[in-house]
Amino acid sequence: MRIDKFLNAVNLTKRRAVSEDMCKSGVVSINEVVCKPAKELKIGDIITLKFLNGEKKYEVLDFPTTKNTPKSDQTKYVKEV
């Protein structure tokens, strides 16, 4: 699954356009490598999101089968590291 679609599907970003812009500006990295929006994810990858006040790391556990998932189901797909 593409990184921009994944971030939106598991509610780490509000819209796919936001996650796409984050990738293009170098804020998102997979396994410590800055990625483009079309980068394919694998289970076990570590996603790093850099913010002004720090960074958050998430491990990919599974991929959602639907376009959007409830916020309560977020822990099925990502785990904060």
Side-chain angles (χ1 to χ4, degrees):
M1 178 177 247
R2 289 171 53 126
I3 180 70
D4 58 344
K5 287 184 178 183
F6 181 80
L7 292 174
N8 182 42
V10 298
N11 293 312
L12 292 178
T13 59
K14 293 275 187 191
R15 291 180 306 249
R16 182 169 163 215
V18 172
S19 58
E20 204 172 312
D21 289 342
M22 288 173 70
C23 291
K24 287 179 182 176
S25 64
V27 175
V28 180
S29 57
I30 300 173
N31 299 328
E32 305 298 327
V33 177
V34 175
C35 64
K36 294 183 179 179
K39 175 73 174 161
E40 290 291 323
L41 279 175
K42 297 181 293 268
I43 292 176
D45 282 346
I46 304 294
I47 300 170
T48 306
L49 302 176
K50 294 178 184 165
F51 299 106
L52 293 174
N53 57 355
E55 63 181 37
K56 289 194 174 194
K57 294 187 178 201
Y58 299 95
E59 181 180 355
V60 178
L61 302 175
D62 200 5
F63 297 115
T65 55
T66 59
K67 189 175 180 180
N68 289 334
T69 59
K71 189 105 171 153
S72 59
D73 288 345
Q74 187 178 29
T75 55
K76 293 179 184 176
Y77 306 110
V78 291
K79 174 178 70 168
E80 193 165 349
V81 180

